[in-house]
């Protein structure tokens, strides 16, 4: 069993392969602004719903406005959670591939795929490269890339980047 834990990714290789790629964390000032805006919209809707509902009754237009406001507030909370805690999770078993986005409070875009063959690629200068070719990075050059899993005919690419050496290691582990 090999476990590598870095700030930007976690790789766990045992009977299966688990890769978690963390999202680049945003500025705390921006995150607080997003969260405050979501809370302000939510509270404004609750207060106006209570005040207008008591005095005048509730109209259809007001209900539609509340629904749109709640959806906007929910989107901002989701955006906050993704930028604060978000990570992509890839789990590869013998012939099953699972991926989802983890927001800490909930998981989204869960996909479980069955495959017969799997290949691993990395992106270098905008081109997908096979791991067998390797790459030589100079000290000044960025050696991080997205990882691409090709399951039979379907490609699944990550959003976040990890070191190319780790991608090559993952490919070698899956090919053994």
């Amino acid at each position: 069993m090999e476990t590598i834990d870095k700030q930007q990714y976690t790789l766990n290789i045992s009977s299966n392969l688990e890769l978690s790629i963390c999202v680049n964390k945003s500025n705390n000032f921006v995150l607080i602004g997003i969260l405050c805006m979501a809370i302000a919209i939510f509270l404004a809707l609750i207060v106006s719903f209570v005040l207008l509902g008591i005095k005048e009754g509730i109209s259809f237009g007001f209900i539609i406005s509340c629904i749109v406001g709640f959806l906007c507030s929910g989107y901002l909370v989701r955006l906050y959670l993704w930028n604060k805690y978000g990570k992509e999770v890839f789990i590869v078993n013998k012939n099953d591939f699972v991926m989802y986005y983890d927001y800490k409070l909930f998981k989204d875009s869960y996909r479980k795929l069955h495959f017969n063959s799997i290949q691993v690629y990395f992106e270098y200068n905008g081109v997908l490269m096979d791991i067998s070719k390797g790459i030589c990075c100079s000290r000044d050059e960025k050696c991080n890339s997205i990882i691409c899993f090709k399951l039979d005919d379907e490609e699944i690419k990550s959003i976040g980047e990890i070191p190319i050496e780790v991608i090559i290691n993952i490919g070698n582990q899956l090919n053994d």
Side-chain angles (χ1 to χ4, degrees):
M1 178 176 140
E2 175 185 351
T3 302
I4 300 171
D5 188 13
K6 301 288 183 193
Q7 187 174 7
Q8 69 187 71
Y9 70 94
T10 303
L11 176 62
N12 183 359
I13 300 173
S14 56
S15 61
N16 60 359
L17 183 133
E18 291 183 35
L19 173 65
S20 297
I21 303 174
C22 297
V23 174
N24 292 334
K25 306 299 183 218
S26 295
N27 184 341
N28 282 337
F29 182 72
V30 172
L31 290 176
I32 290 171
I34 291 172
L35 188 60
C36 288
M37 179 101 60
I39 292 170
I41 292 171
F42 182 76
L43 291 177
L45 289 171
I46 296 295
V47 168
S48 63
F49 191 78
V50 169
L51 292 178
L52 289 176
I54 292 172
K55 291 182 180 179
E56 300 174 11
I58 299 172
S59 67
F60 181 71
F62 180 70
I63 292 173
I64 297 297
S65 299
C66 286
I67 290 171
V68 170
F70 282 123
L71 291 175
C72 289
S73 179
Y75 174 77
L76 289 173
V77 168
R78 181 179 172 190
L79 185 65
Y80 169 80
L81 290 173
W82 178 253
N83 285 297
K84 182 77 173 174
Y85 304 109
K87 61 183 174 180
E88 301 173 85
V89 178
F90 303 97
I91 302 170
V92 182
N93 290 321
K94 291 183 181 182
N95 286 357
D96 290 323
F97 182 88
V98 175
M99 80 153 295
Y100 59 88
Y101 301 121
D102 188 357
Y103 289 79
K104 193 165 185 173
L105 294 180
F106 63 95
K107 295 171 177 48
D108 190 22
S109 299
Y110 182 88
R111 292 177 65 189
K112 183 174 184 177
L113 303 167
H114 182 75
F115 63 89
N116 293 320
S117 69
I118 184 170
Q119 288 97 26
V120 178
Y121 298 94
F122 61 90
E123 191 173 89
Y124 185 71
N125 291 333
V127 178
L128 285 180
M129 305 283 290
D130 191 357
I131 60 162
S132 63
K133 296 184 180 178
I135 195 75
C136 181
C137 295
S138 65
R139 292 181 185 231
D140 300 333
E141 191 176 8
K142 179 180 96 170
C143 287
N144 289 344
S145 173
I146 63 169
I147 186 169
C148 178
F149 296 96
K150 187 171 182 184
L151 312 172
D152 298 329
D153 292 330
E154 187 171 356
E155 287 184 358
I156 298 176
K157 294 182 181 180
S158 67
I159 297 170
E161 295 183 345
I162 58 174
I164 292 175
E165 299 84 31
V166 174
I167 297 172
I168 292 171
N169 181 31
I170 290 169
N172 291 335
Q173 291 288 331
L174 292 175
N175 289 333
D176 289 341

